Amino acid sequence: MVAEPLTREAFAPFGEVIEASDAAHHFTINGGNTERYHDLAKIDAGPDGRVIVSIFRGQPRALPFPVEMMERHPLGSQAFVPTSGGPYLVVVAPAGDPPGAEDLRVFLARGDQGVNYGRGVWHHPLLALDGVSDFLVIDRKGEGPNCDEVTLAETVLIDVNR
């Protein structure tokens, strides 16, 4: 599989793209000094959960990369916002039954784009590309198991045309 560009429209079935773009609701604040890109993701902490903020530091992955597993968070959403400026890959499949190779979509995210995976959306763990990369992560803390992992029946190799 070859990664496609990450766009709001293409990613909509899986969650939201978090970026400062003209398509987002935005307005000027702080006496005209700041543009606020407002309410970019529906952060879902689920019942009895609370929103937490963490930093994940991902090691770069070599391409082509074999996708052998996927995970999901059934009790809340999970948002990733890069802070290091480098591109990364986003591998997703619809919420529901465990995915097969035919269910996967692969996106190439720019270093100024974040993603918010909707509750229960299958996704691959962090896939930094060009170097060690930090991500601000907003997700759920609370009671109950909130990470399901599955091994794919078939390994999928992903690559990037850039």
Side-chain angles (χ1 to χ4, degrees):
M1 295 185 82
V2 175
E4 61 186 284
L6 180 66
T7 65
R8 295 168 72 89
E9 297 78 21
F11 194 73
F14 310 105
E16 298 91 25
V17 174
I18 301 170
E19 65 181 334
S21 79
D22 288 339
H25 176 61
H26 59 99
F27 49 91
T28 304
I29 61 172
N30 296 338
N33 190 51
T34 304
E35 192 70 10
R36 177 177 176 151
Y37 293 84
H38 185 70
D39 197 15
L40 299 175
K42 297 172 185 78
I43 303 301
D44 180 358
D48 301 320
R50 69 179 183 88
V51 175
I52 62 170
V53 176
S54 306
I55 293 177
F56 288 16
R57 180 163 289 154
Q59 301 300 311
R61 308 291 185 124
L63 295 175
F65 179 79
V67 175
E68 299 172 336
M69 62 82 67
M70 297 287 281
E71 68 178 32
R72 70 175 175 184
H73 304 283
L75 302 179
S77 63
Q78 189 177 46
F80 285 77
V81 180
T83 63
S84 300
Y88 63 101
L89 291 173
V90 175
V91 181
V92 289
D97 293 332
E102 68 280 0
D103 300 316
L104 302 184
R105 298 267 308 264
V106 182
F107 297 96
L108 176 60
R110 300 185 319 260
D112 65 343
Q113 293 177 303
V115 295
N116 183 46
Y117 299 118
R119 183 193 305 207
V121 167
W122 292 99
H123 60 278
H124 193 278
L126 192 57
L127 293 169
L129 290 178
D130 294 342
V132 174
S133 299
D134 287 351
F135 291 79
L136 186 71
V137 178
I138 306 164
D139 62 352
R140 177 189 189 276
K141 180 177 181 177
E143 296 297 317
N146 192 31
C147 186
D148 298 330
E149 293 183 359
V150 296
T151 300
L152 297 176
E154 174 185 348
T155 297
V156 177
L157 280 179
I158 56 175
D159 210 342
V160 175
N161 288 333
R162 18 180 194 161

